[in-house]
Amino acid sequence: MTDRELLTRISRSAGQKAGYKQLVRELSLGGGMQRRLLLEQLARMTARGALVKLDREHWSIPKKASGAVPGAGGTRDNLSAGRLDLHRDGYGFVRPNARQASGQDDIFIPPNEINGAMQGDQVLVEVEPPKADGRRMGRIVRVLERRNATVVGVFHYARSDRQQGHSVVPFDERMTQHIAIPFGLEVPAAVEGATAHRVLGAEAAAATASRRGLKQEGKPEEYPSGAKAQGEDSASTYGLKPVPFTDENSLESRVRHGNLEGLVVDVEITSWPTPTRPPIGRVIEVLGDPNDFGVDVEMMIRKHQLPRIFPEKVLAEACSVAHLDLDEVARRRDFRDLDIVTIDGETARDFDDAVLVTERADGGYELQVHIADVAEYVRAATDLDLEARLRGTSVYFPDRAIPMLPMELSTDICSLRPGEDRLVLSCIMQLDADARVESYEIVEGVIRSAARMTYTAVHNILEGDAETRARYAVLVPNFERMRRLAGLMNKRREERGSIDFDLPEPVIEFDAQGQMRGVTKSARTWANRLIEEFMLAANECVATWLEDLGVPSLYRIHEKPDARRVVQFEEQAAAFGYSLGLGALPVKRVQTRGDRRDAQRSGRNVRTYEVPEDIPVTPRMYQKLAARIAGKPEERILSYLMLRSLKQARYSEINEGHFALAAPSYTHFTSPIRRYPDLIVHRIAKALLREGVRGEGEVVRGRHSSPWTHPNEGTPLGFVASHPEFAAQQRKAGPSTSLRSAQDDRAALVPPIPEAELAQIAEETSLTERRAAEAERELVEWKKVRFMQDRIGEEFAALVLNPAKYGLFVELTDLFVEGLVPIDSLRDDRYTWRENTHEIVGERWGRRFRAGDRVQVILDRILVQERRLQFSIVEEGIPLTGKKTASSPLRAKKDKRKDVRSPASKGKKRFGKKGKRR
């Protein structure tokens, strides 16, 4: 049933509202799958404001703009629905669902106006008139949808019988209320000795065996697959047999004897909070001690509500489709005789892309990008497809992964393993001698990978390592050709203004026992970059093909930054002596009604505010600034501030270009094993090809030029001022850009997937992508904190990343770990934060701390729950920066003995210990 049909049915019900059981009965829904789909559809429609959730099982049609909304003190004009993000201090912000389209800012919610809502809930907000600075404040009038059916936290017993029950402190610090656990509900109904519900890697299984007394027989499988690896006993999967427990302190023993104090538990919320009462719940799962190996991953999985178990139907379907159809192989274009290779990380198991570069006789290049044809196995509306859509993306933790697809597909039949025939969807690009794309072709094919290469091996080949080059002697010319082409392609992207923030990413290192050994910076060599360049080119060509055909599809868009954020960044960059080069900013002057009233009463002039209008900022401006700060002490902080000024990339059914890449058309096509939007793009492309649409296209000069320009930059040769107009013009041109067979030239293409459904998929996958990124990032920070627990009191060399009003953010030079030096921990002087110069300055001795300073710090304290490290500055040997080189306190005391005083100090009165003047 479509959304329109469901809205029609609810609108015809009494009072324009309907209950879940009523809809199940009227629609004659059968098993759990159909009912789950109905709930998901209702949730999606509620999230975008098409329905209003009245209570747990009832939905209604929103009232019209002229009517009041029940429970709210206003009309639809001052109501907004969105997602609530809380702060640990109690206040929050609501991000309106329509913010991306309307450009609305977040709505500030004071602590006393939260009204029982929790982190991540979809809420309805009554918005007050904007303040003088344009910011908005509101109050939550209703919770539309609860997003925290379960909460992970640390269990604590009640200290006395007078208390209402036990309590659980949520692991998410944004949930400031403890969860009350009534007496008797602290022990799960059933405690399983095995960990069937967990997603464990080989290292975790081995550590579990060692800790719990399991005897290991044989080695873990290199490619664990099948139902066991997904949903059965992880111990048996890796060759482990249980033996009787003898450790009185084991997790099972502690749960059995009711000793849960300090353990991490998963709690089901049975009663939602109110303004006067905390949430109430019951313990449904005991995860273990926070320090136990693997528990941190389990916490993240449950905190972020990540689907972790494949249903039996999904696993059964994966097993049934995971085979190669020889008839399908014979139908496709054959690439099996070519030296096509995959290049991935050392620990990768899902190889979804393979590449080949050849030189043409005219000096140009042919670039082949072959992507695993996942859409051939995951068909629309199947159990596999529904599960993949629910997950949205694979989630990669440091030592394990939660795949979007079962192992039978992700690491077997869809993985482009060497020496095995695999179905692919290929993008064959023709480039001239300067690496400009001239034409492309999208085609279904079959390949046989010649080698499984790693980034390390390719890097060694390009660096001239004799042993590696001898091992891959036949393929060495291919990699050298790839390097030349990638360098030219990178140069072309730089010319159009593509931004390349080369910020290091943390890599967690483990020892042979699976214990964390350290944190290092990831290496980004040309082996990584050449794959990036090839994938970017393929994504652009596929997006261009689909856009020129005029077929609804999914695009990866990155909108131009908001004018307010650009102005804020300009002010911050000016403190370091930098600018984007915008020139005079266009502003409009406004006066608020309240200021005009105050002016009439007081007789003063009305205060005028300058609000920035649309600013013609371009990617090239960011690119040039990134080049200017490269290698400078302030590079890290300014790169971070630049990123904050930009919007987040997202998926959309409407193409708005990709600002950071300076690309007029861009999509995600190259990772269908781990990203659902890529699978959708594959599905659309395959449907068009099988309808007779030719996958060929020519790229006229300027088609891939940046659609963003500024008068100060001039207009590059071949520049297209407005890419939507350009696309329309090319569609009118017909076969020159989108070549179809004669009968298709006269017939309108039927969209393989309706645009309304694509809009829903775009919204869902954007959310699942952010959910996965937050879980991955948070786990890395958690592991960093755990790694530093035994190093309190140690001294480290550090780099000041960002001085702020509450202290210095520093990064340890050797460990890639960040922390804070609180400003009140600087004891040798009274320090203040100077926002205009972006530095912390001592008032008495003039010592300055700026971004890029090298300092020595001592680890003082670890805030585990907040995942923060707290340092203090070592008093000796602090480097001084700034125009004024001040004396250290020790040197200053010696100077005073010699009566060498600064002019400012001569007039000051000095007192001894008891206040006597001396």
Side-chain angles (χ1 to χ4, degrees):
M1 171 176 286
T2 65
D3 290 354
R4 186 184 297 274
E5 293 172 343
L6 186 57
L7 282 173
T8 302
R9 181 175 293 274
I10 295 177
S11 63
R12 292 175 179 173
S13 301
Q16 291 190 327
K17 61 182 179 180
Y20 168 69
K21 294 180 180 179
Q22 172 190 342
L23 293 173
V24 169
R25 184 174 60 256
E26 292 180 356
L27 299 175
S28 302
L29 299 183
M33 175 63 71
Q34 293 179 332
R35 299 187 181 195
R36 190 181 80 170
L37 291 176
L38 173 62
L39 288 173
E40 291 177 359
Q41 186 176 10
L42 290 169
R44 289 195 303 268
M45 296 172 68
T46 303
R48 70 172 192 269
L51 291 175
V52 173
K53 193 169 185 179
L54 301 177
D55 52 38
R56 189 170 184 178
E57 291 193 351
H58 290 84
W59 287 262
S60 72
I61 303 295
K63 301 297 181 181
K64 301 299 180 183
S66 59
V69 176
T75 65
R76 293 287 297 180
D77 293 334
N78 67 334
L79 293 176
S80 181
R83 179 180 184 271
L84 174 64
D85 280 324
L86 290 172
H87 189 271
R88 63 177 181 271
D89 291 337
Y91 60 85
F93 290 91
V94 170
R95 299 181 176 181
N97 295 330
R99 177 171 62 94
Q100 298 287 357
S102 64
Q104 296 177 352
D105 291 329
D106 295 346
I107 304 167
F108 175 74
I109 310 295
N112 59 332
E113 301 290 0
I114 298 297
N115 200 19
M118 298 177 69
Q119 166 63 27
D121 287 348
Q122 282 285 328
V123 297
L124 189 66
V125 180
E126 181 182 355
V127 186
E128 297 180 1
K131 302 296 182 183
D133 57 0
R135 299 188 180 186
R136 303 188 300 165
M137 186 169 68
R139 68 180 186 92
I140 295 176
V141 296
R142 183 187 304 149
V143 177
L144 302 177
E145 183 180 359
R146 295 286 186 177
R147 289 295 176 88
N148 297 282
T150 60
V151 175
V152 177
V154 178
F155 184 89
H156 296 289
Y157 282 103
R159 296 184 177 181
S160 68
D161 295 336
R162 298 178 181 179
Q163 292 183 261
Q164 297 297 320
H166 312 298
S167 65
V168 170
V169 180
F171 176 65
D172 191 340
E173 61 178 354
R174 294 170 296 183
M175 296 184 181
T176 55
Q177 287 183 304
H178 295 181
I179 301 171
I181 308 296
F183 296 116
L185 296 182
E186 66 272 16
V187 179
V191 179
E192 300 180 9
T195 56
H197 56 282
R198 297 190 179 181
V199 182
L200 293 176
E203 298 89 349
T208 302
S210 175
R211 189 177 69 250
R212 297 188 177 182
L214 298 179
K215 296 180 180 179
Q216 186 169 5
E217 296 183 356
K219 296 181 180 180
E221 299 178 27
E222 184 178 4
Y223 297 99
S225 60
K228 284 187 177 182
Q230 303 297 326
E232 294 185 8
D233 190 348
S234 298
S236 62
T237 299
Y238 294 99
L240 307 174
K241 290 186 176 181
V243 296
F245 293 104
T246 58
D247 185 2
E248 296 181 358
N249 292 320
S250 67
L251 175 62
E252 288 76 8
S253 177
R254 291 185 63 178
V255 174
R256 190 162 49 248
H257 292 89
N259 182 18
L260 302 183
E261 180 64 32
L263 295 184
V264 179
V265 298
D266 197 14
V267 176
E268 179 186 17
I269 303 297
T270 57
S271 180
W272 301 107
T274 68
T276 59
R277 179 179 53 77
I280 301 174
R282 66 183 184 91
V283 176
I284 59 175
E285 189 177 5
V286 181
L287 302 182
D289 189 278
N291 294 315
D292 284 352
F293 185 89
V295 173
D296 51 3
V297 179
E298 301 302 321
M299 294 163 60
M300 295 302 166
I301 290 172
R302 286 155 182 78
K303 174 186 174 182
H304 294 277
Q305 311 289 331
L306 299 175
R308 62 193 185 277
I309 303 175
F310 286 107
E312 292 297 331
K313 288 184 178 180
V314 174
L315 294 174
E317 184 179 332
C319 291
S320 66
V321 301
H323 61 85
L324 191 65
D325 187 346
L326 297 182
D327 293 335
E328 181 64 24
V329 170
R331 187 186 67 81
R332 295 178 173 233
R333 186 178 299 183
D334 196 341
F335 299 96
R336 286 177 288 185
D337 293 335
L338 302 178
D339 289 332
I340 300 169
V341 299
T342 61
I343 307 176
D344 295 276
E346 275 73 11
T347 60
R349 293 291 180 266
D350 49 348
F351 315 132
D352 51 11
D353 57 81
V355 295
L356 175 66
V357 174
T358 57
E359 286 191 87
R360 302 189 320 218
D362 61 355
Y365 299 88
E366 180 181 84
L367 169 60
Q368 297 185 11
V369 175
H370 303 279
I371 307 300
D373 191 354
V374 179
E376 185 67 27
Y377 302 97
V378 182
R379 302 297 178 92
T382 60
D383 291 328
L384 268 173
D385 180 53
L386 294 174
E387 184 68 21
R389 181 171 176 175
L390 177 67
R391 296 180 177 226
T393 182
S394 296
V395 186
Y396 295 94
F397 294 121
D399 61 339
R400 69 203 72 175
I402 303 178
M404 185 182 77
L405 299 172
M407 295 295 184
E408 290 81 1
L409 299 179
S410 59
T411 63
D412 190 359
I413 194 63
C414 292
S415 184
L416 308 182
R417 302 199 295 205
E420 300 183 17
D421 294 351
R422 290 291 182 263
L423 304 181
V424 292
L425 195 58
S426 306
C427 180
I428 315 299
M429 291 160 278
Q430 304 298 327
L431 301 91
D432 64 17
D434 293 327
R436 290 186 174 86
V437 179
E438 298 175 327
S439 62
Y440 56 83
E441 182 183 10
I442 317 297
V443 62
E444 293 178 295
V446 57
I447 71 166
R448 183 182 298 149
S449 173
R452 180 268 200 261
M453 301 297 298
T454 66
Y455 292 123
T456 302
V458 175
H459 173 68
N460 291 339
I461 290 173
L462 297 177
E463 291 296 311
D465 182 73
E467 181 180 349
T468 311
R469 291 175 72 90
R471 181 181 177 186
Y472 300 103
V474 177
L475 298 174
V476 166
N478 292 4
F479 296 123
E480 292 175 341
R481 198 180 304 118
M482 290 181 190
R483 170 64 180 87
R484 289 197 302 272
L485 178 59
L488 292 171
M489 296 174 72
N490 182 259
K491 185 178 180 181
R492 298 287 82 79
R493 282 202 304 115
E494 288 182 357
E495 288 177 354
R496 77 179 184 188
S498 178
I499 311 171
D500 188 6
F501 292 118
D502 196 5
L503 294 176
E505 295 183 359
V507 175
I508 306 295
E509 295 181 340
F510 297 92
D511 58 22
Q513 287 72 41
Q515 298 298 321
M516 185 174 168
R517 187 175 60 190
V519 186
T520 60
K521 298 181 182 180
S522 61
R524 184 170 176 246
T525 66
W526 268 107
N528 306 80
R529 298 179 70 175
L530 64 86
I531 289 296
E532 292 174 10
E533 293 294 338
F534 297 164
M535 298 304 114
L536 288 173
N539 287 335
E540 265 194 270
C541 286
V542 172
T544 301
W545 178 58
L546 293 172
E547 184 181 31
D548 289 350
L549 282 174
V551 177
S553 180
L554 275 185
Y555 295 93
R556 180 68 169 180
I557 69 170
H558 187 220
E559 299 145 297
K560 189 175 73 170
D562 292 331
R564 182 170 59 85
R565 287 192 175 271
V566 174
V567 172
Q568 287 177 349
F569 172 73
E570 277 285 87
E571 294 173 351
Q572 293 167 335
F576 294 93
Y578 294 97
S579 172
L580 287 171
L582 294 166
L585 298 179
V587 296
K588 63 178 180 180
R589 292 176 173 82
V590 297
Q591 298 174 345
T592 65
R593 186 178 303 173
D595 285 338
R596 286 197 294 267
R597 283 198 302 265
D598 294 341
Q600 290 175 355
R601 296 169 184 168
S602 62
R604 300 175 182 174
N605 294 330
V606 183
R607 185 177 180 183
T608 302
Y609 300 91
E610 291 185 348
V611 180
E613 296 183 317
D614 183 55
I615 298 176
V617 65
T618 69
R620 192 183 303 276
M621 294 177 179
Y622 281 87
Q623 180 201 68
K624 289 182 178 179
L625 181 54
R628 287 178 59 197
I629 63 176
K632 302 289 181 62
E634 57 271 14
E635 178 183 10
R636 287 288 303 278
I637 177 59
L638 281 177
S639 296
Y640 172 72
L641 293 174
M642 275 195 280
L643 282 175
R644 287 191 61 183
S645 71
L646 298 173
K647 290 187 176 182
Q648 281 187 309
R650 63 186 178 95
Y651 296 104
S652 174
E653 77 286 4
I654 300 173
N655 181 29
E656 299 183 33
H658 198 291
F659 182 84
L661 295 175
S665 307
Y666 193 71
T667 190
H668 272 174
F669 166 79
T670 54
S671 298
I673 291 179
R674 62 183 179 89
R675 289 192 306 231
Y676 191 75
D678 301 55
L679 176 59
I680 291 297
V681 172
H682 275 232
R683 197 170 283 164
I684 294 171
K686 286 169 63 68
L688 294 173
L689 293 174
R690 296 191 177 187
E691 286 180 6
V693 178
R694 296 180 64 185
E696 301 173 0
E698 296 178 3
V699 181
V700 298
R701 192 173 183 84
R703 175 63 177 92
H704 287 169
S705 296
S706 173
W708 294 276
T709 185
H710 190 277
N712 295 349
E713 294 179 341
T715 304
L717 181 63
F719 176 77
V720 182
S722 176
H723 73 274
E725 296 177 6
F726 175 84
Q729 177 185 354
Q730 294 303 313
R731 282 195 291 272
K732 292 179 181 177
S736 63
T737 56
S738 300
L739 306 176
R740 296 182 284 165
S741 57
Q743 63 269 27
D744 286 327
D745 282 336
R746 295 186 296 269
L749 289 173
V750 178
I753 302 178
E755 189 170 340
E757 184 177 353
L758 289 173
Q760 295 178 7
I761 294 173
E763 182 179 355
E764 294 170 11
T765 52
S766 295
L767 292 175
T768 55
E769 176 193 37
R770 291 174 188 174
R771 177 183 66 184
E774 289 175 3
E776 293 167 358
R777 182 174 57 252
E778 190 172 344
L779 181 63
V780 170
E781 294 304 316
W782 176 269
K783 285 188 174 294
K784 286 182 182 180
V785 170
R786 290 292 179 185
F787 174 68
M788 298 296 290
Q789 271 189 321
D790 298 331
R791 311 192 71 170
I792 294 178
E794 290 188 26
E795 184 176 325
F796 304 92
L799 175 72
V800 177
L801 294 180
N802 180 28
K805 61 182 179 181
Y806 35 80
L808 302 168
F809 285 99
V810 298
E811 177 186 273
L812 305 188
T813 306
D814 298 327
L815 294 176
F816 199 38
V817 172
E818 297 178 8
L820 175 69
V821 178
I823 195 170
D824 55 9
S825 70
L826 302 173
R827 302 291 187 183
D828 62 311
D829 201 345
R830 180 182 178 185
Y831 286 88
T832 57
W833 160 246
R834 297 188 180 178
E835 187 174 4
N836 58 336
T837 57
H838 211 76
E839 61 186 0
I840 289 179
V841 182
E843 293 184 356
R844 187 176 184 184
W845 308 115
R847 179 179 297 162
R848 300 168 184 267
F849 294 98
R850 288 180 174 176
D853 282 357
R854 300 284 177 177
V855 295
Q856 290 292 121
V857 297
I858 292 177
L859 179 58
D860 279 343
R861 186 181 178 195
I862 293 181
L863 306 175
V864 177
Q865 192 69 15
E866 293 85 1
R867 293 171 296 285
R868 290 187 179 88
L869 303 177
Q870 188 169 304
F871 296 92
S872 62
I873 296 288
V874 178
E875 293 299 329
E876 298 294 332
I878 299 179
L880 304 176
T881 59
K883 296 180 180 179
K884 176 182 177 181
T885 304
S887 301
S888 66
L890 183 60
R891 175 68 179 273
K893 290 180 180 179
K894 293 180 180 179
D895 290 345
K896 281 192 292 181
R897 296 191 190 106
K898 299 177 182 179
D899 288 328
V900 180
R901 300 182 184 179
S902 63
S905 65
K906 290 182 179 179
K908 292 183 179 179
K909 298 177 181 179
R910 301 188 178 275
F911 297 86
K913 292 183 179 179
K914 296 184 179 180
K916 296 181 180 180
R917 193 173 298 174
R918 66 177 185 181

